């Protein structure tokens, strides 16, 4: 039986600023990646998003990013493996504390934005992030780009890894995501996004921007909460998955 987790980045507002449609999106996903305060989020937002996830029986994940609020964590920064370790432990601890205080628990960790993409290719950074997760709680799932260094680093240290694919992003021939500044990097058409996702789950491959196939494993699918029409995207994606006989359930169960 084919099955897949459906995750979304959430809690990415701060202060008086809100981002995304978390209340609506939470009804259709199975895992929430909650911003930890570096690229977005703050104490009140983390707590509110944790409570929302618990109310909807959605798995809670920590979504650590680079300390770049102005750039939403999507700008590359030169950091050392030691810094990657420390910022992961720090941010994971914040979400973990709020989850416990509300009667829940963190289930997974997924790096955000530039940190995610850096760890996908840089083994030293990947090892540092995996070590941080392992030392805080070795039972946590580590989400990473399918086929990436982060998935390999997590597996090497004994963590349970979850290979992630993206419904609303195009791919390059090496399996990396097309840079956002490139035309066509974000897939705006819900039908096309659903078609790509089903192919990744069923066939284990994606058609890249260079028109070549890339083989991958699809354990969880990401939909971005800040994509225009995100709610429509996730509603149509979930319906398409279920119509294709693919069970949507949280990772690790």
């Amino acid at each position: 039986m084919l099955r897949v987790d459906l995750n979304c980045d959430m809690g990415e507002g701060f202060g008086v600023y809100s981002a995304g449609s978390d209340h609506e999106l939470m009804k259709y996903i199975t895992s929430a990646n909650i911003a930890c305060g570096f690229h977005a989020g703050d104490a009140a937002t983390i707590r509110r998003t944790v409570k929302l996830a618990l109310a909807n029986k959605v798995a809670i994940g920590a979504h650590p990013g680079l300390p770049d609020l102005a750039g939403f964590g999507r700008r590359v920064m030169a950091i050392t493996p030691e810094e990657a370790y420390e910022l992961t432990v720090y941010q994971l601890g914040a979400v973990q504390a709020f989850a416990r205080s509300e009667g829940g628990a963190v289930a997974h960790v997924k790096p955000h934005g530039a940190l995610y993409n850096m760890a996908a290719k840089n083994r030293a950074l990947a090892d540092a992030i995996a070590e941080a997760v392992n030392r805080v709680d070795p039972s946590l799932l580590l989400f990473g780009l399918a086929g990436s260094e982060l998935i390999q680093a997590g597996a090497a240290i004994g963590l349970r890894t979850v290979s992630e694919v993206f419904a609303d992003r195009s791919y390059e021939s090496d399996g990396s995501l097309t840079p956002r500044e490139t035309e066509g990097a974000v897939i705006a058409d819900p039908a096309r996004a659903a078609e790509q996702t089903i192919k990744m789950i069923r066939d284990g491959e994606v058609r890249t921007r260079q028109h070549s196939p890339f083989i991958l494993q699809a354990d969880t699918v990401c939909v971005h909460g800040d994509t225009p029409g995100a709610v429509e995207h996730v509603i149509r994606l979930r319906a398409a998955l279920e119509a294709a006989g693919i069970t949507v359930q949280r990772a690790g169960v």
Side-chain angles (χ1 to χ4, degrees):
M1 182 176 67
L2 293 175
R3 63 187 66 191
V4 75
D5 175 55
L6 191 56
N7 79 76
C8 187
D9 304 341
M10 297 200 152
E12 292 187 315
F14 62 92
V16 298
Y17 302 99
S18 61
S21 303
D22 290 2
H23 280 81
E24 285 301 310
L25 289 166
M26 201 74 82
K27 299 174 184 177
Y28 302 99
I29 64 171
T30 47
S31 293
N33 318 307
I34 300 176
C36 311
F38 276 36
H39 76 278
D42 56 22
T45 305
I46 294 171
R47 184 184 182 205
R48 183 167 58 248
T49 311
V50 162
K51 292 173 71 174
L52 185 62
L54 290 171
N56 285 273
K57 296 181 171 54
V58 168
I60 296 169
H63 196 39
L66 295 172
D68 179 24
L69 193 62
F72 196 59
R74 287 179 174 162
R75 300 184 293 191
V76 172
M77 297 176 64
I79 63 170
T80 65
E82 290 75 16
E83 289 170 321
Y85 173 91
E86 291 156 2
L87 64 84
T88 300
V89 171
Y90 187 101
Q91 294 176 80
L92 169 55
V95 178
Q96 198 172 51
F98 276 111
R100 287 180 178 174
S101 71
E102 298 297 335
V106 171
H108 68 275
V109 177
K110 173 190 165 181
H112 166 81
L115 181 62
Y116 180 95
N117 291 323
M118 290 157 62
K121 295 184 177 181
N122 185 319
R123 184 54 183 264
L125 292 180
D127 283 338
I129 292 170
E131 178 67 18
V133 174
N134 189 57
R135 289 201 180 189
V136 172
D137 184 350
S139 72
L140 293 173
L141 302 173
L142 178 62
F143 284 28
L145 183 67
S148 68
E149 292 290 346
L150 184 58
I151 290 294
Q152 295 180 41
I157 206 172
L159 290 171
R160 291 186 296 161
T161 59
V162 179
S163 294
E164 182 177 41
V165 298
F166 288 77
D168 54 5
R169 294 292 303 277
S170 69
Y171 283 76
E172 299 297 288
S173 58
D174 63 353
S176 63
L177 299 177
T178 302
R180 281 182 173 270
E181 62 270 17
T182 303
E183 184 177 357
V186 177
I187 298 173
D189 179 5
R192 184 181 159 210
E195 180 182 6
Q196 171 173 284
T197 302
I198 291 170
K199 182 173 181 58
M200 289 189 287
I201 298 167
R202 278 184 169 169
D203 302 336
E205 71 172 44
V206 65
R207 182 65 56 174
T208 69
R209 195 168 60 92
Q210 292 75 26
H211 306 293
S212 59
F214 182 82
I215 306 302
L216 43 64
Q217 180 173 330
D219 299 324
T220 186
V221 180
C222 176
V223 288
H224 286 100
D226 63 336
T227 297
V231 175
E232 180 188 0
H233 266 259
V234 75
I235 291 173
R236 293 183 61 176
L237 176 59
R238 176 141 191 175
L241 291 170
E242 293 173 346
I246 299 169
T247 299
V248 180
Q249 65 178 46
R250 61 185 291 178
V253 299

